[in-house]
């Protein structure tokens, strides 16, 4: 749809690509980060709220655009900067040009899930290290939700994105991290499956408990966020014999580094920062 709108602005109104972007995008509501090419120049656009990230980098004489900085460094490039909210960046043989979408009432609103879930830990967002944000979130979580009693528990992360938060939790609490859950290979996101049964099967495929790591131990299970909580069911029902894991390691003390998600309009901007990073 967006491609059709831009094409109509170019052909019917005789606008160039930058002018077409300025004509079409201010009327759109929602979150986006765009990379566009008209065969002559490369364009990067970030929505007026800055909800989705977009970075520009260079590798020798080649310009790069990517949704996060880790993608630029992974190919040997150097990160130049992140695009500003509402910025339209035009890149061509003779350099770059920047302009700003005219949306006067737009409020800056970063996506929290970029910090706690979507982005790679070796990326930076708005000048903040994603790794440090997750580690500090784990530390803040240990202060907010400590686990006492005896024997001392071990900390288990829900792989993969909760590992850094689990490290922060364990460091602050003086506990040991063990790999009680593994994620073999690549698996999709279980929380977007069509129904509860599909989510259950998706979790069973992507998470594999390790009995040797948690047998006879109390467990603090650290997750990055709470959307539908299917990994919890995987932990409790991880064997063919119901209740087996309850008798081995007891019910885990579950801790979530990010805030619980609540129903909201999809793509609606939220201006918030990860715990411990303000």
């Amino acid at each position: 749809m967006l491609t059709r709108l831009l094409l109509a602005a170019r052909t019917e109104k005789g606008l160039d690509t930058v002018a077409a972007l300025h004509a079409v995008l201010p009327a759109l509501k929602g979150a986006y980060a765009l990379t566009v090419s008209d065969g002559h120049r490369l364009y990067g656009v970030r929505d007026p709220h800055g909800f989705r990230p977009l970075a520009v980098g260079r590798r020798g004489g080649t310009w790069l655009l990517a949704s996060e900085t880790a993608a630029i460094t992974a190919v040997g490039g150097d990160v130049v900067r992140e695009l500003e909210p509402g910025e339209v960046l035009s890149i061509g043989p003779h350099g770059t040009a920047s302009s700003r979408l005219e949306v006067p009432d737009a409020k800056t609103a970063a996506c929290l899930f970029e910090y706690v879930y979507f982005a790679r830990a070796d990326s930076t967002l708005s000048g903040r290290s994603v790794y440090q944000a997750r580690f500090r979130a784990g530390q803040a979580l240990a202060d907010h939700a400590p686990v006492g009693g005896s024997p001392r528990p071990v900390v288990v992360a829900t792989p993969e994105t909760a590992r850094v938060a689990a490290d922060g939790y364990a460091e602050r609490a003086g506990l040991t991290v063990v790999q009680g859950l593994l994620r073999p290979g690549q698996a999709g996101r279980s929380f977007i499956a069509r129904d509860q049964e599909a989510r259950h099967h998706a979790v069973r495929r992507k998470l594999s408990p390790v009995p040797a790591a948690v047998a006879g131990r109390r467990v603090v299970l650290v997750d990055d966020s709470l959307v539908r909580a299917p990994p919890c069911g995987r932990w409790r029902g991880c064997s063919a014999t119901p209740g087996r894991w309850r008798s081995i390691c007891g019910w885990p003390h579950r801790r979530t580094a990010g805030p619980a998600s609540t129903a909201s309009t999809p793509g609606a901007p939220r201006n918030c920062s990860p715990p411990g990073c303000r």
Side-chain angles (χ1 to χ4, degrees), residues 193-264:
R194 64 183 182 276
D195 53 41
Q196 183 59 36
E197 183 178 359
R199 289 191 289 271
H200 173 75
H201 287 299
V203 170
R204 291 190 67 88
R205 288 194 303 269
K206 78 176 184 178
L207 293 180
S208 178
V210 184
V214 295
R217 290 173 156 178
R218 298 173 66 222
V219 173
V220 176
L221 180 63
V222 176
D223 209 342
D224 52 23
S225 54
L226 178 59
V227 179
R228 297 183 187 273
C232 241
R234 177 65 174 126
W235 182 268
R236 294 175 180 175
C238 53
S239 116
T241 305
R244 177 185 170 203
W245 276 80
R246 183 176 184 180
S247 64
I248 289 177
C249 59
W251 295 110
H253 303 277
R254 193 167 191 268
R255 297 292 184 266
T256 304
S261 296
T262 56
S264 60

Side-chain angles (χ1 to χ4, degrees), residues 77-110:
D78 297 315
V79 177
V80 175
R81 64 180 179 87
E82 295 178 70
L83 271 67
E84 297 293 328
E87 182 177 359
V88 179
L89 180 67
S90 173
I91 303 172
H94 304 295
T96 66
S98 179
S99 58
R100 192 67 62 91
L101 297 175
E102 293 295 331
V103 186
D105 58 344
K107 297 181 180 179
T108 301

Side-chain angles (χ1 to χ4, degrees), residues 88-132:
V88 179
L89 180 67
S90 173
I91 303 172
H94 304 295
T96 66
S98 179
S99 58
R100 192 67 62 91
L101 297 175
E102 293 295 331
V103 186
D105 58 344
K107 297 181 180 179
T108 301
C111 177
L112 175 66
F113 264 63
E114 295 286 350
Y115 285 100
V116 300
Y117 183 70
F118 291 135
R120 273 180 28 169
D122 53 344
S123 283
T124 59
L125 298 171
S126 301
R128 291 174 173 169
S129 163
V130 174
Y131 175 88
Q132 290 181 346

